[in-house]
Amino acid sequence: MVAAFVVRTINPFEKGHDVLFFIEYKPEWSFFELIPFVILGFLGGAFGYFFIKLNIKWCKFRKNKNIGKYPITEVILVTFLTASLGYLNEYTRMPMPELIRHLIGKCSIADDSILCDYLKNTTSANEDVVPLRQNEGVYEAIWKLFLALGFYMIMLVLTFGLKIPCGLFVPCLTIGAIAGRLLGIAMEIISFNFPDFFIFAAGCNENVTCVIPGVYAIVGACAFLGGATRMTVSLVVIMVELTSGLSLIVPLMVSAFSAKIFGDLFCSDGIYDAHIELNNYPFLDTKEDYKINAYASDVMKPQKNDPPLTVLIQDGMTAAEVEKIARKSKFVGFPIVVSKESQLLVGYILRRDLCMALDLYQQSGFFTPNKMVKFSQTLTNRKNETCIRLEKLVEYAPLCVSHQTSMDVVIDLFKKIGVSNLLVTHFGKIIGVITKKDILKHLEMKKR
């Protein structure tokens, strides 16, 4: 409510509208137009497949070649390429949001752009451009839009994954709006030249506009963004909120689901899933059913030939020893045991908290290398105590699993609880740790 009030007050989109791409007209559509809307969905799915494939190949090339070592130079080159080539076309010269608003708009008698260069025929009751023959300006706009479409597709492949945020939503919306507008103009030309064709006969006559290219631009924007991200219902909601086009729910749903169905025929992953896999991010999809016929002891680290597990002793370590382990290791945290001989688990401490505590003690002057560090909750006379006590930072009930726990259970714990790691124990003794990366590595080994 507060956000809506602020938007209404400052009026960032002008004309008193609360949404970015407000539709100035009543977006009408006919039943036969569901066929071109499905075609837009298929085009969006094909675009998503080729965009993901080419972008991942380019990102792999960037990683493996010297170009990845000079990210600033790459950004400068791409910026220069975008500015120099984009300036040549009026549709690539204007900002993307402005171009989208132009494409989803409906031609009126006052519109003098080449995209609306029609023979004018208006009445006092209707100031819209009714279906009449297109002038040369419309055909000039068509080839310029085709050039803009190719330019934006190439630049999106090159820019997504740069070291600066270049965005995905607005570029995909722009590409889809261009493709949709082109298809809308084609349908408009067909309906004008063949008005007696049975699918046009019911809705097209001299006084009614049966094909609105701006509607096709909106539907195309939804289809192409859906093809790249594999979004469906949430995408339809976003598009309705962006345009206030509640009457376009059915066309938007048809295009979004068509794009996902066609894209999934070739690759079920969207662009974000592909980049997660490319960068080896530890991500377990909650919707995917992982099947691993193994136990926790088969996946945990360390294995037989690995270095021993790094642990902290609850009592008996010096400040220098603790600091050395905390500073040099890259683990998220450390298990705390009674002693190295027993390996009985006491608790778990995060490396981040441990480093912050050591820094605070060093700043206070209480830190000395030979001073003892205690993680236990033993009761002592703290007035005369000279050791560093860190028991308040210890989690004394960490999430643990037995070494014989099925990996199906372990994966469910990761997906449903969202933990970063699990401690593996055997009769109370710590024997290993499982992380999401360990699970993904095990799955990759099984695939090979």
Side-chain angles (χ1 to χ4, degrees), residues 330-403:
K330 297 181 180 179
F331 302 115
V332 177
F334 307 99
I336 299 173
V337 298
V338 175
S339 63
K340 285 189 176 181
E341 294 76 18
S342 68
Q343 292 291 301
L344 288 172
L345 182 64
V346 174
Y348 185 82
I349 187 170
L350 292 174
R351 175 176 174 271
R352 177 195 60 208
D353 296 340
L354 181 58
C355 291
M356 289 178 61
L358 293 175
D359 290 337
L360 290 175
Y361 275 110
Q362 287 176 345
Q363 293 173 8
S364 64
F366 191 72
F367 181 94
T368 56
N370 295 326
K371 188 165 289 187
M372 303 302 295
V373 178
K374 288 192 175 184
F375 299 98
S376 62
Q377 293 178 308
T378 55
L379 296 175
T380 58
N381 186 5
R382 301 202 173 188
K383 292 183 178 180
N384 301 323
E385 197 171 48
T386 59
C387 63
I388 298 175
R389 302 191 64 92
L390 301 176
E391 70 273 9
K392 291 184 179 180
L393 304 178
V394 178
E395 172 60 52
Y396 288 102
L399 197 57
C400 304
V401 294
S402 170
H403 69 296

Side-chain angles (χ1 to χ4, degrees), residues 116-382:
C116 295
D117 186 17
Y118 295 87
L119 293 174
K120 301 296 190 296
N121 181 19
T122 62
T123 65
S124 59
N126 180 19
E127 293 187 353
D128 290 333
V129 178
V130 297
L132 290 177
R133 187 177 300 278
Q134 295 79 15
N135 282 331
E136 293 298 325
V138 175
Y139 297 102
E140 180 185 350
I142 289 175
W143 69 261
K144 285 186 177 181
L145 286 175
F146 268 112
L147 291 177
L149 183 67
F151 174 76
Y152 279 133
M153 284 182 174
I154 295 173
M155 295 312 299
L156 182 59
V157 171
L158 297 178
T159 56
F160 191 76
L162 282 177
K163 297 301 180 182
I164 59 172
C166 296
L168 176 72
F169 273 51
V170 174
C172 285
L173 290 176
T174 305
I175 294 171
I178 294 174
R181 184 77 187 205
L182 289 171
L183 182 59
I185 294 174
M187 289 294 298
E188 188 181 46
I189 294 174
I190 294 172
S191 68
F192 173 77
N193 291 308
F194 303 96
D196 296 329
F197 192 54
F198 72 97
I199 62 174
F200 302 128
C204 300
N205 55 60
E206 294 181 355
N207 298 315
V208 178
T209 303
C210 62
V211 175
I212 304 177
V215 172
Y216 286 74
I218 299 171
V219 175
C222 178
F224 277 62
L225 181 56
T229 62
R230 299 296 193 272
M231 296 166 61
T232 52
V233 178
S234 59
L235 176 59
V236 174
V237 174
I238 291 172
M239 293 302 300
V240 171
E241 290 179 344
L242 280 175
T243 60
S244 293
L246 196 60
S247 61
L248 293 178
I249 286 183
V250 174
L252 292 173
M253 290 184 67
V254 168
S255 65
F257 279 95
S258 300
K260 178 171 175 56
I261 291 171
F262 189 77
D264 286 348
L265 291 177
F266 302 98
C267 177
S268 59
D269 293 336
I271 183 63
Y272 295 118
D273 300 302
H275 272 264
I276 287 173
E277 184 177 353
L278 174 67
N279 295 293
N280 295 319
Y281 293 141
F283 175 73
L284 294 174
D285 193 349
T286 56
K287 298 178 182 178
E288 188 171 347
D289 188 16
Y290 300 95
K291 293 294 183 182
I292 302 180
N293 295 322
Y295 296 105
S297 57
D298 300 323
V299 182
M300 70 178 192
K301 296 292 183 182
Q303 292 293 318
K304 290 183 179 179
N305 298 325
D306 296 334
L309 184 66
T310 302
V311 297
L312 298 175
I313 311 301
Q314 68 170 356
D315 296 319
M317 295 186 72
T318 63
E321 292 173 337
V322 173
E323 185 180 30
K324 181 179 179 181
I325 293 174
R327 305 292 186 191
K328 292 188 176 182
S329 66
K330 297 181 180 179
F331 302 115
V332 177
F334 307 99
I336 299 173
V337 298
V338 175
S339 63
K340 285 189 176 181
E341 294 76 18
S342 68
Q343 292 291 301
L344 288 172
L345 182 64
V346 174
Y348 185 82
I349 187 170
L350 292 174
R351 175 176 174 271
R352 177 195 60 208
D353 296 340
L354 181 58
C355 291
M356 289 178 61
L358 293 175
D359 290 337
L360 290 175
Y361 275 110
Q362 287 176 345
Q363 293 173 8
S364 64
F366 191 72
F367 181 94
T368 56
N370 295 326
K371 188 165 289 187
M372 303 302 295
V373 178
K374 288 192 175 184
F375 299 98
S376 62
Q377 293 178 308
T378 55
L379 296 175
T380 58
N381 186 5
R382 301 202 173 188

Side-chain angles (χ1 to χ4, degrees), residues 413-443:
L413 288 173
F414 274 106
K415 291 197 297 185
K416 295 178 180 179
I417 300 179
V419 294
S420 59
N421 55 55
L422 287 174
L423 305 181
V424 183
T425 60
H426 178 52
F427 293 115
K429 297 181 179 180
I430 180 72
I431 61 173
V433 179
I434 297 179
T435 63
K436 292 181 182 179
K437 286 187 176 181
D438 297 328
I439 297 174
L440 295 174
K441 286 181 181 178
H442 190 82
L443 289 170

